[in-house]
Amino acid sequence: DTEVTQTPKHLVMGMTNKKSLKCEQHMGHRAMYWYKQKAKKPPELMFVYSYEKLSINESVPSRFSPECPNSSLLNLHLHALQPEDSALYLCASSPPFRDPGYTFGSGTRLTVV
Amino acid sequence: GNSVTQMEGPVTLSEEAFLTINCTYTATGYPSLFWYVQYPGEGLQLLLKATKADDKGSNKGFEATYRKETTSFHLEKGSVQVSDSAVYFCALKPTGSGGYNKLIFGAGTRLAVHP
């Protein structure tokens, strides 16, 4: 298995809703990442987990809450989002201490109404 | 600080034309360099990489050489196909990013190839 699987592929949510994005990989990668990508822009790093511990939070608003229940799973919990949070949310993983590059998932396209 | 600069797009080419997408970087030490490709509606795929000066990364007919003297990592392909139409991102991993790869992306260059 050489994939990162993200669910759902599309999500529409209201500003008062609570939802979660899920990411799963079975490549034994110990670093996992959340990126946010707006249209026609490069991905922007949000969070990094290394060995299931949060290593980087790029000053992301608290309405985004990451969780890494185990080495294969990464969640992003969403609450009270704003319309400007609409974007493609990408999950990625990589082995630590090596440079093979990331393996990205295909993303969740989120629309906040 | 660390940064990546790519040529602005869109780049529009006819099928079988030669492709160059310029990428230059600013970084201390010896970063690793990457090219990623994003097809419409999809995530990013690693296209090729180079981890030290003078390394050449290659994949699917694409090539890029890590040039430390010019701090560049230009992407080239000898003959593009319509299926190469996508957005291409140059990225670097700074030296000493620790046990995980904190990538810094360029703005992306959109390539459109027409028959």
Side-chain angles (χ1 to χ4, degrees), chain A residues 18-29:
Chain A
K18 286 185 180 180
K19 297 286 184 183
S20 296
L21 309 184
K22 180 180 173 183
C23 173
E24 193 167 5
Q25 58 87 15
H26 296 285
M27 295 178 282
H29 291 176

Side-chain angles (χ1 to χ4, degrees), chain A residues 53-72:
Chain A
K53 288 185 170 41
L54 183 64
S55 299
I56 293 179
N57 176 342
E58 293 285 282
S59 303
V60 179
S62 59
R63 57 185 183 268
F64 296 91
S65 176
E67 179 196 20
C68 189
N70 58 57
S71 60
S72 299

Side-chain angles (χ1 to χ4, degrees), chain B residues 8-51:
Chain B
E8 287 191 25
V11 174
T12 304
L13 295 173
S14 298
E15 206 164 26
E16 299 183 3
F18 185 86
L19 168 71
T20 300
I21 300 179
N22 290 338
C23 171
T24 57
Y25 67 90
T26 301
T28 55
Y30 298 89
S32 297
L33 301 173
F34 305 86
W35 277 101
Y36 284 85
V37 58
Q38 186 173 32
Y39 297 100
E42 297 186 13
L44 277 71
Q45 299 176 23
L46 177 64
L47 184 59
L48 53 84
K49 69 181 179 79
T51 57

Side-chain angles (χ1 to χ4, degrees), chain A residues 31 33 35 37 42-43 45 48 50 55-56 58 88 90 94 96-102 104-106, chain B residues 32 34 36 38 41-46 49 51 89 93 98-103 105-108 110:
Chain A
Y33 312 77
Y35 275 83
Q37 187 180 25
L45 182 65
V48 179
S50 179
S55 299
I56 293 179
E58 293 285 282
L88 180 67
L90 294 164
S94 69
F97 302 107
R98 287 161 55 185
D99 282 328
Y102 291 7
F104 278 89
S106 56
Chain B
S32 297
F34 305 86
Y36 284 85
Q38 186 173 32
E42 297 186 13
L44 277 71
Q45 299 176 23
L46 177 64
K49 69 181 179 79
T51 57
F89 291 96
K93 171 185 170 295
Y100 43 83
N101 301 317
K102 182 176 180 177
L103 290 184
F105 287 92
R110 184 173 302 275

